[in-house]
């Protein structure tokens, strides 16, 4: 293992060079022509750096996802990354790539272009020491994670189901780079109320206010929150009505739902999906779902985490911690299918925020941690 650590420590500058290249190609999820450029660049890079076989996985609405493979065999290990970001085109003008005090700043650095860099160098390190594997290694690089992985989800689930372990290179948490061993499930609901419009001054009795009905439903929804159980139902956006003297014909709300356990998911989802109007003259339409199930810490996750902790301590002198988070990731999908370790990506701060950055000296270390996990789990025992 020491040779992996040394190999990667010597590549810190190359890692920063590649990170800069990746950040300079802006890749907002909803602009497929841009994420496609990012995918092309990554396809070329992974083939220059390693002996991977790369396949493009078609996406109906977004740019193709990439699947890189090393070795062969029926058993496999899976690494999950995404190359889209939440930052719109042009962000680099206000938020340029820069290095200050040992940190690399820029859109997508932390979430999760540095994670991709770390994965590619980890695989290069493994090839350089001629480590042999009994298992195939599959690296997925997807283009729509920040949208909830609408088109990459089936690919991720299919690969996870075939894998003995899954490593997700989402950012780590906190200044010490804790891994994420539990994540909340995430849902979005669009609620539309259809009322009956009428003149509020002349014949108010003929109307049925969609806004009043929505107010009732907001109270109902908010009461589904149970902080002790880790469940939140947040009506985050509302709109409705057409004029102050018209009884509102339509009103609309967008609701964010987070659940910590499957039990809570099963309690809350039907209560939202079967909403009935208080006022029978109005109608309620509910669209949406809990699209990412909660990632609950299993025994398999515990074993993976303890192994990572031991490797980090022995070879990197890092005291690895674990945390849970309210944010979702592709780990929510994979954990239901195979033991999953998430937050294995960069150490830094500011995902989706203007101070987004990674700590440069941690990049080779985190890359080495992934490489060591692959070496350990790549042998059938
Ligand atoms: Zn991410």
């Amino acid at each position: 293992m020491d040779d992996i650590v040394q190999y990667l420590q010597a590549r810190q500058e190359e890692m920063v060079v590649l990170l800069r290249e990746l950040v300079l190609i802006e890749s907002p999820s909803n602009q497929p022509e841009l994420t496609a450029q990012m995918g092309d660049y990554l396809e070329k890079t992974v083939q220059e750096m390693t002996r991977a076989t790369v396949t493009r996985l078609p996406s109906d609405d977004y740019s193709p996802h990439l699947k890189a493979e090393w070795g062969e065999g029926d058993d496999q290990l899976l690494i999950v990354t995404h190359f889209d970001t939440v930052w719109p085109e042009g962000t680099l003008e206000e938020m340029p790539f820069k290095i200050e005090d040992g940190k690399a700043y820029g859109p997508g650095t932390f979430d999760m272009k540095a994670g991709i860099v770390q994965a590619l160098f980890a695989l290069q390190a493994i090839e350089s020491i001629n480590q042999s594997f009994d298992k195939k290694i599959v690296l997925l690089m997807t283009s729509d994670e920040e949208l909830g992985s609408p088109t990459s989800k089936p690919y991720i689930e299919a690969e996870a189901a075939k894998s003995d372990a899954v490593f997700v290179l989402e950012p780590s948490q906190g200044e010490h780079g804790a891994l994420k061993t539990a994540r909340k499930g995430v849902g979005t609901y669009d609620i539309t109320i259809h009322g009956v419009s009428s003149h509020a001054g002349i014949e108010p009795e003929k109307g049925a206010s969609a806004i009043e009905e929505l107010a009732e439903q907001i109270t109902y929804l908010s009461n589904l929150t149970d902080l002790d159980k880790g469940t939140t139902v947040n009506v985050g956006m509302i709109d409705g009505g057409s004029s102050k003297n018209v009884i509102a014909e339509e009103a609309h709300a967008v609701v964010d739902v987070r659940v910590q356990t499957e039990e809570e998911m099963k309690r809350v989802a039907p209560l939202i999906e079967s909403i009935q109007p208080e006022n029978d003259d109005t109608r309620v339409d509910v669209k949406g779902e809990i699209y990412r199930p909660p990632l609950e810490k299993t025994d398999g996750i515990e074993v993976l985490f303890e192994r990572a902790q031991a490797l980090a301590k022995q070879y990197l002198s890092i005291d690895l911690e674990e945390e849970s988070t309210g944010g979702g990731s592709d780990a929510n999908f994979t954990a239901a299918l195979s033991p999953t370790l998430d937050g294995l990506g960069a150490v830094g701060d500011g995902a989706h925020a203007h101070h987004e950055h990674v700590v440069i000296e941690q990049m080779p270390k985190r890359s080495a941690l992934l490489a060591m996990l692959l070496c350990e789990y790549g042998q059938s025992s």
Side-chain angles (χ1 to χ4, degrees):
M1 297 292 183
D2 286 320
D3 42 0
I4 287 181
V5 176
Q6 279 163 18
Y7 180 93
L8 289 163
Q9 288 289 10
R11 267 153 196 86
Q12 182 170 304
E13 278 187 21
E14 288 169 57
M15 294 176 93
V16 176
V17 169
L18 179 57
L19 175 61
R20 179 174 176 277
E21 296 292 326
L22 299 189
V23 172
L24 293 186
I25 304 170
E26 293 186 296
S27 52
S29 326
N30 54 9
Q31 279 184 269
E33 69 285 4
L34 295 181
T35 49
Q37 287 174 24
M38 185 78 232
D40 290 347
Y41 185 85
L42 281 171
E43 183 176 3
K44 181 170 72 78
T45 302
V46 67
Q47 282 168 330
E48 281 167 7
M49 287 178 67
T50 73
R51 295 187 289 273
T53 313
V54 185
T55 318
R56 290 178 178 222
L57 308 173
S59 162
D60 282 344
D61 304 310
Y62 304 103
S63 75
H65 314 293
L66 297 174
K67 174 182 170 181
E69 290 171 86
W70 292 262
E72 46 198 62
D74 295 333
D75 298 328
Q76 70 176 39
L77 301 175
L78 177 63
I79 306 164
V80 179
T81 68
H82 67 85
F83 56 81
D84 59 319
T85 75
V86 293
W87 298 103
E89 187 179 15
T91 299
L92 275 173
E93 286 167 33
E94 302 121 49
M95 222 177 123
F97 181 84
K98 64 172 182 188
I99 293 173
E100 251 176 48
D101 299 331
K103 296 169 183 166
Y105 289 81
T109 45
F110 188 42
D111 188 9
M112 62 184 301
K113 289 179 175 176
I116 297 176
V117 172
Q118 290 166 203
L120 297 184
F121 276 88
L123 287 150
Q124 193 187 52
I126 287 169
E127 282 189 355
S128 84
I129 61 160
N130 288 315
Q131 170 78 36
S132 68
F133 283 101
D134 307 320
K135 295 177 188 172
K136 185 158 69 172
I137 298 177
V138 174
L139 165 64
L140 285 178
M141 295 180 271
T142 65
S143 68
D144 63 358
E145 194 274 344
E146 297 292 0
L147 303 172
S149 307
T151 70
S152 56
K153 181 180 175 184
Y155 298 119
I156 293 166
E157 289 184 330
E159 294 301 332
K162 289 188 276 182
S163 299
D164 296 334
V166 182
F167 304 108
V168 180
L169 293 200
E170 285 291 342
S172 63
Q173 190 151 313
E175 58 180 317
H176 301 297
L179 303 193
K180 295 167 178 173
T181 52
R183 281 184 179 270
K184 285 188 178 180
V186 188
T188 305
Y189 288 94
D190 274 286
I191 295 177
T192 306
I193 315 276
H194 302 277
V196 180
S197 69
S198 73
H199 193 296
I202 299 167
E203 40 187 17
E205 70 287 354
K206 293 196 174 159
S209 170
I211 289 179
E212 277 179 28
E213 180 62 30
L214 180 59
E216 298 280 352
Q217 298 301 343
I218 290 171
T219 307
Y220 169 78
L221 288 161
S222 303
N223 284 337
L224 299 176
T225 290
D226 187 337
L227 293 177
D228 291 340
K229 291 189 172 142
T231 301
T232 54
V233 178
N234 179 56
V235 181
M237 292 192 287
I238 55 165
D239 60 70
S242 56
S243 175
K244 78 177 180 76
N245 60 1
V246 176
I247 298 209
E249 186 170 21
E250 202 171 288
H252 180 236
V254 186
V255 184
D256 179 274
V257 181
R258 309 269 159 159
V259 288
Q260 203 159 309
T261 61
E262 199 179 329
E263 197 184 338
E264 276 294 280
M265 179 168 97
K266 287 183 174 153
R267 176 183 75 90
V268 167
L271 290 174
I272 297 174
E273 287 158 23
S274 65
I275 282 179
Q276 295 300 318
E278 287 287 321
N279 177 348
D280 291 340
D281 294 331
T282 65
R283 188 161 58 78
V284 182
D285 268 350
V286 181
K287 288 200 177 70
E289 60 180 337
I290 297 184
Y291 56 89
R292 279 184 174 137
L295 186 173
E296 294 182 70
K297 190 177 172 186
T298 58
D299 292 346
I301 291 176
E302 175 78 34
V303 169
L304 270 185
F305 175 73
E306 282 174 3
R307 204 53 222 135
Q309 211 174 23
L311 289 167
K313 182 83 189 162
Q314 185 174 353
Y315 297 102
L316 301 166
S317 305
I318 291 174
D319 287 317
L320 207 57
E321 293 164 6
E322 62 179 317
E323 282 185 27
S324 64
T325 169
S329 86
D330 289 329
N332 294 60
F333 303 139
T334 64
L337 301 162
S338 177
T340 297
L341 209 46
D342 193 8
L344 272 171
V347 179
D349 197 11
H352 305 192
H354 282 275
H355 64 292
E356 177 167 7
H357 66 265
V358 299
V359 179
I360 292 171
E361 65 167 16
Q362 292 291 331
M363 290 180 69
K365 295 186 173 133
R366 294 290 161 151
S367 180
L369 178 60
L370 174 65
M372 291 190 289
L373 282 165
L374 292 170
C375 288
E376 285 234 343
Y377 285 90
Q379 325 292 334
S380 18
S381 45

